[in-house]
Structure formats: C-alpha cells, structure tokens
Amino acid sequence: MIRHATPADVPEIHRMIRELAEYEKALEEAGASEEQLYEALFGERPAAFAHIAETADGEVAGFSLWFLNFSTWRGVHGIFLEDLYVRPGLRGGGYGKALLVELARICVERGYERLEWSVLNWNTPSIDFYRALGAKPQDEWTVYRLTDEVLTELGSQARSVLGPLGS
C-alpha cells in the first residue's frame, strides 16, 4: 500500500533517511533533524512531499520524498525525487516500483512532464532497477553542488558583486 505521509510518520521517515545515508556511506552528512523534516513536509509552507510504502501488516517498508522542479524548456513542473528507500529485508517486494508508479501517476494527473532523480554511480542494484522500469540516465549532465564554507563564501560576495542592487 502506498499512502501520503502524515506528521506521525516523521520519526520513521527520519530513521529511514539515516538508514539510506548509511547505505550510501555518508551517514555523517545526514544532519537533518526530525524538526527540520517536519517543517519541510508539514510546516506553514511545505517544500517537500512524501509517500510511505506499507506491507499488508502495516509495517513501513519504505518511502519516497520529493519536491517540484520546473523545466524552462517544457514550461511545466516536474517531480524531483530526492530519496527513494526500501528497507533491505523488503527489497524485491515491489515497494520501490509502487512508490515510483505513484509519482508517475501524479505527474500524469497534474500534467508534469518529468520525473527525475539522481543515483550514485556505484549503486548498480538501483541502476539496474531503474533501467528495468525504462528510466534513462542523463549521462550528458554533471551535477554541481555548493555547500558549507564554499557556499557561505560565495554568498558573502553578493554585496561586492551586486553593489547597492544586492541590498
């Protein structure tokens, strides 16, 4: 069963995010708190959305967490899937596919023309799964990221670059 996440799911989603970070060998980078997650999903201005996959017994099998993006070329929104996670003991049970099917359904229903996500290059089980669904890698694009001190440094240059307009 796939359902919308509720505020009561936040602790479980937070645990699964940490499980995913551990699987991706980056647990030390997963610093988001339950409070931040709650605010992002259910605060005054939600920035993200989540779905929960449950077993027939009501056990949480996995989740998807996503947000809207926008294509200037297509002129419409799309979905960017930030996280898709199924607990190891429940993989192969169709939960990951069901979560993606739900997101694809939302895209079709709302007229969104893209469902996109990133996957680590070494994560061949996930890559094989995505390709089996018909997803195509966007090999011509490279993701760039600014974080931490580098982001702060660049952001602090706004006044010197923009002058009075940046005020």
Side-chain angles (χ1 to χ4, degrees), residues 122-164:
W122 59 260
N123 192 347
T124 52
S126 292
I127 291 168
D128 293 344
F129 168 66
Y130 298 142
R131 287 186 180 194
L133 293 176
K136 303 216 180 324
Q138 301 297 298
D139 295 335
E140 67 274 12
W141 294 88
T142 300
V143 175
Y144 283 83
R145 178 178 294 153
L146 293 170
T147 61
D148 304 323
E149 296 83 21
V150 177
L151 177 62
T152 302
E153 169 69 26
L154 187 61
S156 68
Q157 296 175 21
R159 288 188 189 263
S160 63
V161 173
L162 299 174

Side-chain angles (χ1 to χ4, degrees), residues 43-84:
E44 187 177 316
R45 294 186 338 185
F49 309 92
H51 285 84
I52 300 292
E54 290 182 330
T55 67
D57 299 331
E59 177 186 358
V60 174
F63 79 105
S64 62
L65 194 141
W66 56 277
F67 55 89
L68 294 179
N69 59 15
F70 184 81
S71 170
T72 56
W73 289 16
R74 300 231 174 176
V76 296
H77 282 294
I79 286 177
F80 187 85
L81 175 60
E82 179 67 19
D83 286 330
L84 175 71

Side-chain angles (χ1 to χ4, degrees), residues 22-33:
E22 187 170 24
Y23 172 75
E24 292 182 347
K25 303 173 179 81
L27 184 57
E28 68 285 350
E29 295 178 40
S33 69

Side-chain angles (χ1 to χ4, degrees), residues 109-130:
E109 177 182 276
R110 297 182 186 177
Y112 302 163
E113 294 187 12
R114 290 183 178 166
L115 172 54
E116 298 178 311
W117 61 91
S118 298
V119 61
L120 291 165
N121 292 334
W122 59 260
N123 192 347
T124 52
S126 292
I127 291 168
D128 293 344
F129 168 66
Y130 298 142

